[in-house]
Amino acid sequence: SPQKVIADEISRRLRAAFQPTHLSVEDVSWRHAGHAAAPSGGESHFNVDIVSPVFAGKSRVMCHRLVTAELADLLAGPVHALQLSTKSA
């Protein structure tokens, strides 16, 4: 199976930061293959679906900021796009 180094790192960080009751990290890079900014080999575009009590009472924008802050160096580097779904329950 192909390496999932970045997906695993995203999962590890988000589990540590948010203790989610549900977390799904899906590599969807294949959908973007061939467009100008997509590197070969995948692991550049991800869908992240996370459910955590940490998000309770926070706006969608704030929840997304919390997640992207945890992944800032990845987003500045290998991760080209992150599609986020954040829920508190």
Side-chain angles (χ1 to χ4, degrees), residues 3 5 11 15 24 38 53 58 60 65 71 78 86 89:
Q3 290 288 305
V5 178
S11 295
R15 285 187 198 288
S24 156
K58 294 182 174 69
R60 192 174 65 89
R65 282 188 187 144
L71 306 174
T86 53

Side-chain angles (χ1 to χ4, degrees), residues 15-74:
R15 285 187 198 288
F18 301 108
Q19 287 84 50
T21 54
H22 169 78
L23 175 62
S24 156
V25 178
E26 181 191 6
D27 183 352
V28 293
S29 306
W30 58 272
R31 292 186 195 160
H32 303 274
H35 88 64
S40 60
E43 289 222 288
S44 60
H45 295 66
F46 293 91
N47 284 354
V48 174
D49 187 13
I50 181 169
V51 179
S52 167
V54 173
F55 301 137
K58 294 182 174 69
S59 71
R60 192 174 65 89
V61 169
M62 178 55 72
C63 294
H64 287 199
R65 282 188 187 144
L66 290 171
V67 171
T68 55
E70 289 298 324
L71 306 174
D73 60 314
L74 296 177

